[in-house]
Amino acid sequence: MTLSTRDLGYWYTNNPDDYLFKNVNLTFEKGKVYSILGQSGSGKTTFLSLLAGLDAPKAGAILLEDKDISKSGLITYRKSSVSTIFQACNLLTYMSARQNVVTALEIAGKPINQADIEQLFTQVGIDSSQIDKPVLKLSGGQQQRVAIVRALATGHDIIIADEPTGNLDEETTQDIVSIFKKIAHEQHKTVIIVTHETAVAQETDVTFELKKKVFTQIS
Ligand SMILES: Nc1ncnc2c1ncn2[C@@H]1O[C@H](COP(=O)(O)OP(=O)(O)O)[C@@H](O)[C@H]1O
Ligand SMILES: [Mg+2]
């Protein structure tokens, strides 16, 4: 699934001159990890929320395989194609890791296969003794892994993550980035991560920097 932006623009006021970015034309292909690098306040989260179908563009469009996602509706797009991971994880802390994933699948109306779920946990390095503990008892890095499993469980082709390593130490950051690379390279997903950390961006296949309202591919 190729995701792309066509002359994409966004601004929060009624005045288009206040744009955060405009005329953005980027392409995201399956099998690769992309990073969006930029300073705080540059508009990264806003850009991701458009890619994730959480908000509609002020100008231009998001295309999935050349089809405008707003044509079939953003809800359809979110339910069928894209999974989002937020910096604050947004896990239900009183539930176990497993329950978080099962609940997300129930909400999405997807089938629940416990063996598949357990395999995903193994894949991200959460061992079986941790799956049924309340997520509050897990470390920040482990919670981020649970959020990744939750995003993967739906089987969607596009995984979007906002500052997924923002609160983690260097080693855990490395692990999380490796997991994203594995997901993209071995499962042929499109992974797009937003970061303000150059070191994280350097690990990804393609980096687009958002600076002074303009996106530039820097690697
Ligand atoms: N809901 C909103 N209403 C008005 N301005 C907003 C809103 N959300 C973000 N902004 C502003 O838009 C700019 C970009 O924000 P954001 O996309 O969150 O940047 P980043 O994720 O790169 O830190 C910031 O100046 C921020 O204050
Ligand atoms: Mg942000």
Side-chain angles (χ1 to χ4, degrees):
M1 288 277 189
T2 300
L3 185 68
S4 59
T5 67
R6 188 181 61 206
D7 299 329
L8 190 70
Y10 199 89
W11 44 92
Y12 280 104
T13 65
N14 291 323
N15 183 358
D17 291 340
D18 294 334
Y19 69 90
L20 283 172
F21 45 80
K22 67 175 183 184
N23 299 324
V24 179
N25 290 285
L26 301 180
T27 300
F28 303 94
E29 286 165 350
K30 71 174 183 182
K32 287 187 187 169
V33 181
Y34 293 83
S35 50
I36 309 290
L37 177 67
Q39 290 184 345
S40 177
S42 57
K44 304 183 299 297
T45 295
T46 304
F47 181 72
L48 270 201
S49 69
L50 302 180
L51 287 186
L54 295 166
D55 197 359
K58 287 291 170 70
I62 312 272
L63 310 179
L64 185 60
E65 298 286 289
D66 295 328
K67 253 188 83 194
D68 186 339
I69 60 168
S70 70
K71 291 277 152 60
S72 52
L74 297 185
I75 293 172
T76 304
Y77 171 65
R78 292 202 304 268
K79 275 201 144 179
S80 62
S81 303
V82 65
S83 295
T84 316
I85 299 163
F86 297 97
Q87 180 173 6
C89 285
N90 293 332
L91 296 174
L92 301 164
T93 50
Y94 55 91
M95 284 186 182
S96 70
R98 187 199 302 271
Q99 286 167 326
N100 266 278
V101 175
V102 168
T103 302
L105 288 171
E106 281 171 355
I107 291 170
K110 304 267 163 142
I112 292 155
N113 180 321
Q114 294 293 351
D116 288 350
I117 294 172
E118 284 163 20
Q119 206 209 324
L120 285 173
F121 277 118
T122 307
Q123 191 190 322
V124 302
I126 299 256
D127 69 55
S128 52
S129 67
Q130 298 177 310
I131 297 179
D132 295 305
K133 281 188 195 167
V135 289
L136 257 190
K137 300 238 161 114
L138 303 178
S139 69
Q142 287 168 324
Q143 289 185 22
Q144 196 56 265
R145 288 165 214 255
V146 175
I148 292 172
V149 168
R150 186 175 57 180
L152 290 177
T154 52
H156 294 165
D157 288 328
I158 302 164
I159 310 283
I160 287 178
D162 195 357
E163 307 263 9
T165 58
N167 301 319
L168 306 176
D169 59 56
E170 215 171 291
E171 200 184 325
T172 312
T173 294
Q174 276 294 337
D175 288 348
I176 298 289
V177 174
S178 303
I179 291 168
F180 283 123
K181 284 165 95 166
K182 225 170 138 190
I183 292 166
H185 298 165
E186 293 174 15
Q187 297 172 37
H188 314 293
K189 309 239 182 221
T190 308
V191 178
I192 305 168
I193 61 181
V194 147
T195 184
H196 64 272
E197 295 172 88
T198 313
V200 171
Q202 275 167 352
E203 290 288 316
T204 63
D205 300 312
V206 178
T207 302
F208 297 116
E209 187 175 30
L210 174 55
K211 198 171 168 181
K212 296 186 179 150
K213 305 185 175 195
V214 175
F215 282 91
T216 311
Q217 183 172 347
I218 60 169
S219 76

XYZ file of all heavy atoms in Angstrom, residues 84-116:
250
model
N -2.275 3.572 14.955
C -1.517 4.702 15.491
C -0.990 4.386 16.885
O -1.687 3.792 17.694
C -2.425 5.951 15.544
O -3.148 6.029 14.321
C -1.627 7.205 15.722
N 0.253 4.793 17.136
C 0.868 4.626 18.451
C 1.234 6.029 18.955
O 1.958 6.753 18.269
C 2.150 3.770 18.358
C 1.822 2.381 17.817
C 2.858 3.689 19.707
C 3.042 1.620 17.321
N 0.721 6.395 20.097
C 0.983 7.726 20.620
C 2.111 7.700 21.636
O 2.389 6.681 22.234
C -0.284 8.296 21.262
C -1.402 8.468 20.286
C -2.392 7.508 20.174
C -1.450 9.570 19.454
C -3.419 7.654 19.251
C -2.466 9.723 18.535
C -3.455 8.762 18.434
N 2.697 8.860 21.842
C 3.823 8.954 22.772
C 3.427 8.498 24.168
O 4.142 7.759 24.819
C 4.340 10.394 22.828
C 5.512 10.542 23.771
C 6.123 11.924 23.700
O 5.599 12.804 23.019
N 7.209 12.105 24.395
N 2.260 8.931 24.607
C 1.836 8.581 25.957
C 1.194 7.193 26.002
O 0.500 6.862 26.957
C 0.871 9.629 26.492
N 1.431 6.387 24.948
C 0.948 5.007 24.865
C -0.571 4.867 24.872
O -1.123 4.085 24.123
C 1.480 4.128 26.004
S 3.177 3.664 25.822
N -1.241 5.628 25.749
C -2.687 5.514 25.882
C -3.157 4.095 26.181
O -4.197 3.674 25.719
C -3.415 6.042 24.635
C -3.233 7.524 24.475
O -3.044 8.229 25.456
N -3.266 8.007 23.260
N -2.359 3.378 26.965
C -2.800 2.054 27.390
C -3.798 2.216 28.532
O -3.798 3.232 29.228
C -1.607 1.233 27.882
C -0.542 0.904 26.841
C 0.650 0.222 27.498
C -1.109 0.043 25.728
N -4.649 1.213 28.685
C -5.566 1.193 29.827
C -4.778 0.570 30.968
O -4.527 -0.635 30.981
C -6.815 0.394 29.464
C -7.544 0.989 28.252
C -8.542 0.007 27.659
C -8.218 2.299 28.605
N -4.333 1.411 31.906
C -3.303 0.995 32.857
C -3.767 -0.058 33.858
O -2.944 -0.804 34.375
C -2.775 2.210 33.639
O -3.894 2.933 34.138
C -1.929 3.102 32.755
N -5.076 -0.117 34.123
C -5.563 -1.088 35.108
C -5.712 -2.471 34.473
O -5.945 -3.449 35.154
C -6.907 -0.625 35.700
C -7.951 -0.352 34.655
C -8.821 -1.355 34.236
C -8.054 0.913 34.061
C -9.757 -1.127 33.258
C -8.992 1.156 33.075
C -9.839 0.133 32.676
O -10.760 0.380 31.691
N -5.592 -2.535 33.151
C -5.725 -3.821 32.463
C -4.349 -4.430 32.219
O -3.340 -3.734 32.210
C -6.371 -3.624 31.098
C -7.848 -3.374 31.137
S -8.410 -3.364 29.422
C -10.130 -3.009 29.684
N -4.352 -5.723 31.938
C -3.100 -6.384 31.572
C -2.749 -6.043 30.127
O -3.571 -5.483 29.389
C -3.248 -7.903 31.712
O -4.121 -8.383 30.703
N -1.523 -6.414 29.756
C -1.076 -6.208 28.381
C -2.022 -6.929 27.418
O -2.472 -6.376 26.422
C 0.353 -6.747 28.232
N -2.345 -8.167 27.755
C -3.218 -8.963 26.885
C -4.594 -8.301 26.754
O -5.140 -8.189 25.651
C -3.384 -10.379 27.467
C -4.143 -11.338 26.537
C -4.685 -12.544 27.292
N -3.663 -13.323 27.966
C -2.990 -14.334 27.399
N -3.226 -14.665 26.146
N -2.092 -14.999 28.089
N -5.141 -7.860 27.903
C -6.475 -7.249 27.860
C -6.492 -5.969 27.016
O -7.479 -5.662 26.346
C -6.963 -6.931 29.284
C -7.379 -8.170 30.061
C -7.549 -7.875 31.549
O -6.830 -7.057 32.120
N -8.499 -8.545 32.170
N -5.378 -5.222 27.048
C -5.299 -4.020 26.216
C -5.429 -4.370 24.740
O -6.112 -3.686 23.982
C -3.970 -3.293 26.455
C -4.081 -2.213 27.510
O -4.511 -1.095 27.221
N -3.721 -2.548 28.736
N -4.767 -5.429 24.347
C -4.790 -5.825 22.934
C -6.171 -6.377 22.560
O -6.749 -6.009 21.533
C -3.678 -6.857 22.644
C -3.761 -7.370 21.220
C -2.308 -6.236 22.920
N -6.707 -7.238 23.441
C -8.025 -7.838 23.169
C -9.097 -6.750 23.073
O -9.932 -6.750 22.153
C -8.378 -8.877 24.264
C -9.843 -9.291 24.180
C -7.469 -10.097 24.153
N -9.034 -5.782 23.990
C -10.022 -4.700 23.983
C -9.957 -3.906 22.683
O -10.986 -3.571 22.090
C -9.797 -3.760 25.197
O -9.889 -4.551 26.371
C -10.836 -2.651 25.247
N -8.738 -3.629 22.238
C -8.579 -2.874 20.986
C -9.163 -3.653 19.810
O -9.816 -3.082 18.930
C -7.101 -2.570 20.740
N -8.946 -4.967 19.805
C -9.486 -5.797 18.717
C -11.007 -5.838 18.779
O -11.682 -5.796 17.746
C -8.913 -7.215 18.801
C -7.437 -7.339 18.411
C -6.905 -8.723 18.745
C -7.241 -7.036 16.932
N -11.545 -5.907 19.993
C -13.010 -5.916 20.144
C -13.605 -4.626 19.596
O -14.585 -4.634 18.856
C -13.390 -6.080 21.627
C -13.282 -7.519 22.099
C -13.436 -7.665 23.611
O -13.539 -6.636 24.322
O -13.441 -8.811 24.079
N -12.964 -3.498 19.966
C -13.464 -2.194 19.505
C -13.387 -2.116 17.977
O -14.283 -1.588 17.324
C -12.671 -1.045 20.169
C -12.996 -0.985 21.665
C -12.984 0.298 19.500
C -12.094 -0.064 22.460
N -12.320 -2.676 17.431
C -12.136 -2.625 15.974
C -12.990 -3.672 15.253
O -13.062 -3.681 14.025
C -10.664 -2.819 15.629
N -13.634 -4.558 16.025
C -14.450 -5.604 15.410
C -13.620 -6.646 14.676
O -14.064 -7.217 13.690
N -12.403 -6.895 15.196
C -11.520 -7.864 14.532
C -11.526 -9.176 15.318
O -11.761 -9.175 16.531
C -10.080 -7.321 14.501
C -9.940 -5.967 13.843
C -9.615 -6.077 12.373
C -9.890 -4.776 11.683
N -8.987 -4.382 10.659
N -11.218 -10.279 14.637
C -11.165 -11.571 15.332
C -10.047 -11.609 16.382
O -9.018 -10.951 16.209
C -10.885 -12.572 14.210
C -10.382 -11.776 13.067
C -10.921 -10.393 13.208
N -10.294 -12.368 17.443
C -9.305 -12.454 18.524
C -8.721 -13.863 18.555
O -9.442 -14.834 18.781
C -9.971 -12.104 19.877
C -10.334 -10.618 19.870
C -9.047 -12.435 21.050
C -11.450 -10.255 20.788
N -7.436 -13.950 18.294
C -6.755 -15.239 18.311
C -5.628 -15.142 19.338
O -4.628 -14.471 19.105
C -6.214 -15.545 16.911
C -5.490 -16.881 16.859
O -4.771 -17.250 17.792
N -5.680 -17.609 15.776
N -5.825 -15.830 20.489
C -4.870 -15.689 21.594
C -3.455 -16.124 21.193
O -2.474 -15.516 21.607
C -5.337 -16.484 22.817
C -6.625 -15.955 23.451
C -6.470 -14.581 24.105
O -5.359 -14.048 24.252
N -7.580 -13.975 24.498
N -3.360 -17.181 20.382
C -2.026 -17.649 19.979
C -1.310 -16.572 19.158
O -0.110 -16.331 19.330
C -2.148 -18.946 19.179
N -2.051 -15.912 18.279
C -1.455 -14.831 17.475
C -1.000 -13.681 18.369
O 0.075 -13.108 18.161
C -2.480 -14.273 16.466
C -2.747 -15.242 15.324
O -2.013 -16.252 15.220
O -3.689 -14.985 14.547
